[in-house]
Amino acid sequence: MDLEQRSINVGKALIMDTVRNANSGHTGGPLSSFDFAYVLFKDFLKFDPENTDWFDRDRFVLSIGHESALLYTILTFIGWLDIEDLKSFRQFGSKTPGHPERGLTPGVEATTGPLGQGIGNAVGMAISESILQENFGKDIINHYTYVLHGDGDIQEPVSQGAIAIAGHYGLGKLIAYYDSNDAQISGKVSRSDSTDYAAFYKSNNWHVIEIDGHDRSAIRDALRLAQMEISKPSVIIGTTTMAHGCANMEGNHETHGAPLPPEEIAATKQKFRLDPEQFFYLPADVLNHFREGFDFAKQEVAAWENSLRNALNDSNFRQKWDIAMSGGVPQDVNWPSYEPGEMIATRKVWGGIIEPLADVHPTLVGGSADLEPSNVTAGFAKKVEDFNKNNKSGRNFAYGVREFPMGAINNGIAQHGGLKVFGATFFVFSDYERPALRMRALQKLPVISEYTHDSIYVGEDGPTHQPIEHIMACRAIPNLLVLRPGDANEAVVASKIAFEQSELPSAVLLTRQGLPVLDRNTYPSAEEFRKGAYILSDYDTESPEISIFASGSEVSLALDVKAALKDQFNIRVVNFGCWELFDMQPEDYRANIIHDSSFKISIEAGITQGWEKYTGNSILNSLNIGINTFGESAPGKDVAEYFGLTSEAITKTILTKLDKVSNYSK
Ligand SMILES: Cc1ncc(C[n+]2csc(CCOP(=O)(O)OP(=O)(O)O)c2C)c(N)n1
Ligand SMILES: [Mg+2]
């Protein structure tokens, strides 16, 4: 048996042992993809064996995240993990969690497991490579992005949207491998699918190569062909067999998500000419064989480091490189500011932010899911031009009506590093992007969502387009900053906060309708928004009676309510635009805002559920004003009136409530 076949057998035995030892995990798929993964990592993938973070490494995404045992085995061959890690597969605190987690395991580029999104991530990485190469030249940025996917990934529509974009953009250095093993959890793929995926990929402008996925020389030829095709992304569709190589269970879909029975493992090891009594066996001859290209890799890295040192002598290059690598915002941005007295829709501010930012931030990218005029990204698009197959230096993405692919792609851009990225749509369609929001929050990727049309003030488009539960649904995602500024100057601050993040993703919620620009001579600076909640207008006397917490368009409404009730009550108005930032403030700051004996009222044009966190839920001492049903189709003002979101209606609600409260207390 040649050393390569022996190495493959040893790798497959490691996978079987790893899953068996954990008594949990996936075996069948890793065995069907192993031939490809082995060839890719041993002979094609460019990486620095001594530095997982080398910037010009080829990227590899395991979209089929349940095949984690496959990836961990390969990472053990490389030396980034060891046998002890494989022995603690799926255990608490290990570097080998159930599904690959970026940031936890060296060599894992993307957290995967929710099928389909990894393909979008890879598309984002390939876009990044292309744009960064335009900026920094081929000596510095020149790598491939590989993605391994299965039947489940390609059935998820998010992948199909990302594939369409990749083909449209002509991402020639993106190479996918489809492990087509005709098995998924519930049986044969034909139970649920009769799509011709070769034709599908072709129609999406991909270069398609079909091979026997267990023929390693065919895999090598296909990878070379894929690398040579530079005008289109390539997919290698490998026809494979589930649990390939197993003694008795080859082809059995039940091997998908389970350890193999010990007898089957023993029989398979025997078939592989390995000792069935030996577990976690990884001999030196196999390791040395796998690592025979490492010396060459180290030379390649040294040459690259030399090129970078030379390039950094040029101050223009250095400046751009520093901005790209820092992930921050340059100092010299000409941020807009707005005068009191005007009515300005906060979405209008977005254009005023990203356009001057684009002037001084060469690696700022982003776009809208076909709502360019509404999201006010058209000026940006005109200024930086569309990225497409004929214009790799374009920095605007015309995503089309593809919110979820947009989200997954933007996550990939952030995973790659080097670009600052935003994606825009209507707030109501954040639902369509939500699974990507969750994955970016989980991975701490500082991607920005600009969500406009943030409430029922959308108006005539009606309940389908009016966000109701969305703001709370976003707040429910850990790590996600949900920023709802109250006027144009706060919208500038909220956007700055979003662009400054190095770890936290954000959703910037902006209005369709005009809002009064607050007079900052009367009120504290808009920079106070950074605290998440701040006192906009305090009690006028020592006896606190009512405090009102409001966000976004309801902030100026709260000020109107205060004005209407000022003769009867002593009222504090708190601008409560970002819960997450507020929760990060020191305790005494938070206590000052929340913990007094005032009657607490929240006002927000969305569901009230959740505000009790700050107002308390005492019937006697709190009131949550909002909308707990779906919206209505009518002009925004009329809808607001219908839901009682006017100063008159709120004043009445408060008076009625306080009247009842005083009756209870009697
Ligand atoms: C979005 C999503 N839905 C469902 C699952 C649960 N799940 C994990 S693997 C799998 C089947 C995948 O089949 P395939 O990609 O062919 O993997 P193979 O059985 O070949 O390993 C499913 C439904 C998931 N991980 N992600
Ligand atoms: Mg499958």
Side-chain angles (χ1 to χ4, degrees), residues 29 64 66-67 113-115 150-153 156 181 183-185 242 256:
I64 187 163
H66 61 269
E67 289 194 3
L115 292 166
D151 301 302
D153 286 298
E156 281 292 350
N181 61 16
Q184 54 191 121
I185 291 183
M242 192 68 165
H256 161 91

Side-chain angles (χ1 to χ4, degrees), residues 91-284:
Q91 303 310 305
F92 185 81
S94 77
K95 280 194 255 171
T96 46
H99 292 84
E101 292 182 34
R102 177 189 157 83
L104 178 65
T105 312
V108 169
E109 302 280 359
T111 299
T112 52
L115 292 166
Q117 292 198 56
I119 296 179
N121 295 163
V123 172
M125 292 178 191
I127 291 173
S128 295
E129 195 267 348
S130 183
I131 295 179
L132 289 167
Q133 186 174 87
E134 285 292 311
N135 270 274
F136 299 113
K138 278 201 161 97
D139 287 345
I140 306 301
I141 305 291
N142 194 1
H143 65 78
Y144 290 98
T145 300
Y146 297 93
V147 54
L148 168 52
H149 79 77
D151 301 302
D153 286 298
I154 197 76
Q155 287 172 353
E156 281 292 350
V158 62
S159 70
Q160 302 189 6
I163 285 165
I165 291 177
H168 183 67
Y169 285 174
L171 299 174
K173 289 165 83 181
L174 174 63
I175 300 174
Y177 179 81
Y178 173 12
D179 177 41
S180 176
N181 61 16
D182 192 26
Q184 54 191 121
I185 291 183
S186 307
K188 280 189 166 302
V189 170
S190 56
R191 284 189 67 199
S192 59
D193 208 348
S194 44
T195 306
D196 174 346
Y197 284 108
F200 167 79
Y201 266 112
K202 267 183 210 135
S203 70
N204 278 289
N205 303 306
W206 283 58
H207 166 222
V208 181
I209 306 163
E210 294 179 83
I211 59 166
D212 167 355
H214 299 304
D215 176 345
R216 290 190 295 280
S217 88
I219 294 172
R220 288 190 165 87
D221 289 347
L223 280 166
R224 282 187 206 103
L225 277 177
Q227 290 186 336
M228 276 154 54
E229 171 60 74
I230 54 168
S231 66
K232 293 174 173 187
S234 295
V235 60
I236 301 164
I237 302 180
T239 302
T240 55
T241 307
M242 192 68 165
H244 183 251
C246 281
N248 305 301
M249 295 182 81
E250 210 180 53
N252 185 339
H253 71 87
E254 284 170 12
T255 62
H256 161 91
L260 300 185
E263 320 75 72
E264 176 69 5
I265 296 178
T268 304
K269 283 182 181 169
Q270 236 149 10
K271 188 178 156 197
F272 285 170
R273 288 198 241 150
L274 296 172
D275 180 354
E277 298 300 320
Q278 233 165 354
F279 298 92
F280 292 103
Y281 173 63
L282 183 53

Side-chain angles (χ1 to χ4, degrees), residues 468-496:
I468 293 289
E469 72 282 21
H470 300 74
I471 185 160
M472 286 300 175
C474 282
R475 287 177 180 141
I477 299 178
N479 295 347
L480 177 67
L481 294 182
V482 183
L483 302 148
R484 189 164 188 250
D487 78 344
N489 289 312
E490 276 186 15
V492 176
V493 178
S495 309
K496 280 202 251 177

Side-chain angles (χ1 to χ4, degrees), residues 85 101 119 139 161 254 277 307 345 366 446 462 473 510 518 533 544 559 614 662:
D85 294 313
E101 292 182 34
I119 296 179
D139 287 345
E254 284 170 12
E277 298 300 320
S307 303
L510 303 173
L518 299 179
L559 290 172
Y614 301 114
S662 69

